[in-house]
Amino acid sequence: MKIHNTLTQQLEELVPLEGNKVRLYTCGPTVYNYAHIGNFRAYIFEDLLRRCIKYFGYEVLQVMNLTDVDDKTIAGAIKAGTSLDAFTKTYKTAFFEDLKALNVEPAEHYPAATDHVPEMIAIIRKLMDKGHAYQSDDGSIYFSVSSFPAYGKLAHLDMAGLRPGARVQHDEYEKENVADFALWKAWDAKDGDVVWDSPWGRGRPGWHIECSAMATKYLGESFDLHTGGVDNIFPHHEDEIAQSEAASGKPFVRYWMHCAHLVVDGRKMSKSLGNFYTLRDVLSRGFNGRETRYVLIAGHYRQSLNFSFDAMTAARSALQRLDEFQERLVGVAGNANIEHRSMVGTCSPLNVGSSELNVRCSSSSLLPDWAETARQKFDAGLAEDLNISESLGALFDMVHAGNRAMDGKALTPEQAAAVKALLARFDQVLGLLEKPRDTVPEEALKLLELRQQARQTKNWAEADRVRNELATLGWIIQDTPQGPKLKRK
Ligand SMILES: [Zn+2]
């Protein structure tokens, strides 16, 4: 699997630092408001990345932080006249609801900054000890950019014009204002009651140190992959690298990936233009999370994505085509359906890009040629820096060819079941399909087993009870020479 590394500006093969596990840090939301669709573009890109890594056979350990103390959250809480905790809680809850609506796979950890202040202080202490940080007159601690010669390597900055001694207190600033940045901000009246004790007096952490502390705690001092939006490259990620590497003396992150902006109707999203949408705004217009996910996933992550309600309508028809195709396959597969249930996911991992590309997995021996071609193209697209357009193209070619085959009654039930399994396999990455109707839920399978046990012990009353319970769940039992099977009523 090849990915574009912002650090080297090259496509590189993803190779985990240790074993088979990819350790991934994704900068999470600043919980001062509902996240907007531009934010979700980044989270959907990261979800696609996560699912692809797994699809190609690696394990993932993902951390997404919640920034619940910074300039914006404090200002928001004060404006709302509530505590920082109560203020951010609303938006934390909303964020997780939104992720669910968009079918984003949960990360392994969602640490909140306010729970990790001691870890931040520990890093700042190291930086002070090593001479990479200093205390200013007001008591704040700053990172000394000139003490770290590699500063600027991620954003590819020309550091020649840096004015020595310049300092920036705010969490966000422009490249023109490269300067020593705040690690610890001494308390001032604007912070209200948001304050922690530190060896350098009362105050609160700067934004950048939060991510270094949480990433290091859960993923180690060196880990594989760090992502965010292009806006994060400077200063946030540049500063993360500087403070982490200066403190540990080790390379912080091997691969950096960044997704491009989202624009709405071709223009930068802004409240004043009236084209600023949270996910909730989009849903209130009658669209759903699945359609939104489709629009956000369908553009290559390194290209600017144009969001429009026309695109949402197009997503609705594309999804309808997929649903209908799946339904049709279910119909043709008939009884072959359930027997092939277990084939889903047996094909991965595939070492795409090598000669193994042509190795056929167990179900693909049943695949018609057009589906086999789709499988290869789909995988090859994703393996080339998440080239989703190529993968979606392969998917819709398959839908077209499959529909034609079914029109001509040229697809056997076994082939239909194999194509359906392939579709489900694609969906491990896409996360777009409705569950096919024939998927037997675990609950029903357990009941079927209970019934078998009851019959073996000749407990007919129990067997009947279980049969009735299955019936209320919508399943009937068919006894076949191969054993009992479940069928939709
Ligand atoms: Zn971050």
Side-chain angles (χ1 to χ4, degrees):
M1 176 177 176
K2 283 195 178 137
I3 51 173
H4 182 266
N5 188 352
T6 310
L7 199 57
T8 59
Q9 300 192 310
Q10 305 271 333
L11 279 191
E12 294 177 18
E13 191 69 36
L14 177 65
V15 183
L17 289 169
E18 271 174 36
N20 197 41
K21 186 177 275 183
V22 175
R23 285 168 291 162
L24 166 65
Y25 188 86
T26 48
C27 282
T30 300
V31 280
Y32 74 111
N33 206 336
Y34 297 106
H36 58 67
I37 51 171
N39 302 133
F40 284 113
R41 190 210 177 169
Y43 305 135
I44 292 281
F45 145 63
E46 286 152 353
D47 186 51
L48 175 66
L49 174 64
R50 173 193 166 88
R51 287 167 179 260
C52 272
I53 293 170
K54 288 166 71 180
Y55 184 79
F56 288 120
Y58 302 104
E59 286 173 59
V60 178
L61 175 60
Q62 184 189 358
V63 177
M64 178 179 276
N65 70 294
L66 304 169
T67 298
D68 59 354
V69 54
D70 78 323
D71 297 350
K72 290 184 203 159
T73 44
I74 292 174
I78 289 171
K79 199 172 161 202
T82 151
S83 71
L84 182 67
D85 225 30
F87 178 72
T88 57
K89 200 173 169 213
T90 308
Y91 300 112
K92 282 181 193 172
T93 307
F95 178 66
F96 289 113
E97 286 167 5
D98 289 353
L99 288 188
K100 208 164 171 203
L102 291 170
N103 196 19
V104 170
E105 270 189 16
E108 280 64 33
H109 299 282
Y110 289 102
T114 49
D115 293 331
H116 295 80
V117 176
E119 286 86 347
M120 297 166 203
I121 290 176
I123 298 179
I124 300 171
R125 194 197 292 265
K126 259 193 206 167
L127 292 170
M128 288 292 274
D129 290 348
K130 290 185 162 187
H132 288 291
Y134 61 91
Q135 192 158 27
S136 69
D137 293 342
D138 75 344
S140 296
I141 307 291
Y142 285 87
F143 183 87
S144 162
V145 169
S146 62
S147 77
F148 187 73
Y151 192 86
K153 66 179 170 181
L154 182 71
H156 304 278
L157 300 179
D158 176 11
M159 298 296 293
L162 178 67
R163 288 175 296 128
R167 279 200 291 268
V168 56
Q169 218 234 339
H170 296 297
D171 286 332
E172 290 176 84
Y173 49 94
E174 300 296 319
K175 279 182 192 167
E176 297 72 50
N177 303 323
V178 172
D180 293 354
F181 56 92
L183 298 166
W184 185 260
K185 302 184 184 195
W187 183 85
D188 82 32
K190 286 203 297 287
D191 293 344
D193 61 356
V194 178
V195 68
W196 285 266
D197 285 322
S198 84
W200 316 283
R202 283 148 50 86
R204 64 174 173 101
W207 172 37
H208 315 298
I209 195 72
E210 296 180 4
C211 281
S212 286
M214 290 182 273
T216 306
K217 173 164 178 181
Y218 295 95
L219 300 174
E221 286 175 330
S222 295
F223 59 93
D224 300 292
L225 186 49
H226 193 317
T227 63
V230 282
D231 287 350
N232 290 142
I233 296 175
F234 187 87
H236 186 50
H237 290 164
E238 195 68 58
D239 291 354
E240 273 190 51
I241 293 176
Q243 65 207 2
S244 305
E245 297 194 349
S248 73
K250 295 175 191 160
F252 181 44
V253 170
R254 175 116 175 235
Y255 310 94
W256 289 84
M257 290 173 82
H258 293 97
C259 77
H261 287 114
L262 174 138
V263 294
V264 175
D265 297 326
R267 302 168 82 178
K268 194 175 172 198
M269 191 164 64
S270 84
K271 285 188 175 148
S272 59
L273 285 175
N275 66 352
F276 183 98
Y277 300 112
T278 64
L279 177 62
R280 280 135 206 270
D281 297 332
V282 174
L283 302 187
S284 73
R285 294 198 176 204
F287 292 98
N288 62 33
R290 195 161 77 110
E291 289 152 0
T292 315
R293 179 179 175 89
Y294 188 96
V295 169
L296 296 181
I297 214 170
H300 190 270
Y301 76 94
R302 284 200 289 129
Q303 281 163 11
S304 162
L305 181 81
N306 188 23
F307 178 90
S308 67
F309 286 100
D310 286 347
M312 290 292 289
T313 305
R316 179 167 290 178
S317 359
L319 287 167
Q320 198 180 346
R321 256 187 103 200
L322 287 181
D323 289 345
E324 283 167 4
F325 182 59
Q326 180 171 251
E327 285 285 305
R328 239 185 135 181
L329 289 171
V330 168
V332 175
N335 280 336
N337 266 331
I338 293 169
E339 287 163 41
H340 287 91
R341 218 172 51 90
S342 59
M343 288 192 325
V344 175
T346 55
C347 309
S348 57
L350 279 173
N351 191 356
V352 178
S354 75
S355 56
E356 287 176 51
L357 182 65
N358 294 317
V359 173
R360 292 191 171 208
C361 56
S362 58
S363 67
S364 59
S365 56
L366 292 166
L367 287 175
D369 285 347
W370 43 264
E372 180 58 29
T373 304
R375 184 179 75 79
Q376 290 181 22
K377 279 193 176 161
F378 185 90
D379 288 6
L382 292 178
E384 191 72 10
D385 196 28
L386 311 183
N387 188 348
I388 188 76
S389 319
E390 189 171 319
S391 298
L392 287 176
L395 169 62
F396 281 101
D397 285 349
M398 180 171 96
V399 172
H400 181 73
N403 278 328
R404 221 170 36 187
M406 287 188 279
D407 291 344
K409 308 228 178 306
L411 201 64
T412 67
E414 289 71 24
Q415 285 176 323
V419 174
K420 190 167 70 71
L422 181 64
L423 194 61
R425 181 172 163 260
F426 289 170
D427 202 53
Q428 291 172 356
V429 175
L430 301 173
L432 290 170
L433 285 177
E434 299 282 19
K435 266 201 178 5
R437 276 189 303 127
D438 73 296
T439 301
V440 185
E442 283 306 309
E443 189 188 3
L445 288 172
K446 275 197 190 126
L447 284 171
L448 183 64
E449 207 179 309
L450 267 184
R451 175 185 171 264
Q452 279 308 93
Q453 286 165 7
R455 281 167 67 99
Q456 273 158 16
T457 55
K458 302 202 185 325
N459 185 347
W460 309 116
E462 171 66 3
D464 283 350
R465 190 195 65 76
V466 175
R467 176 189 286 272
N468 290 337
E469 197 176 333
L470 276 166
T472 49
L473 290 173
W475 296 93
I476 50 172
I477 303 167
Q478 282 189 318
D479 287 304
T480 74
Q482 292 82 33
K485 288 200 180 353
L486 289 173
K487 217 184 141 193
R488 275 269 178 216
K489 274 213 286 192

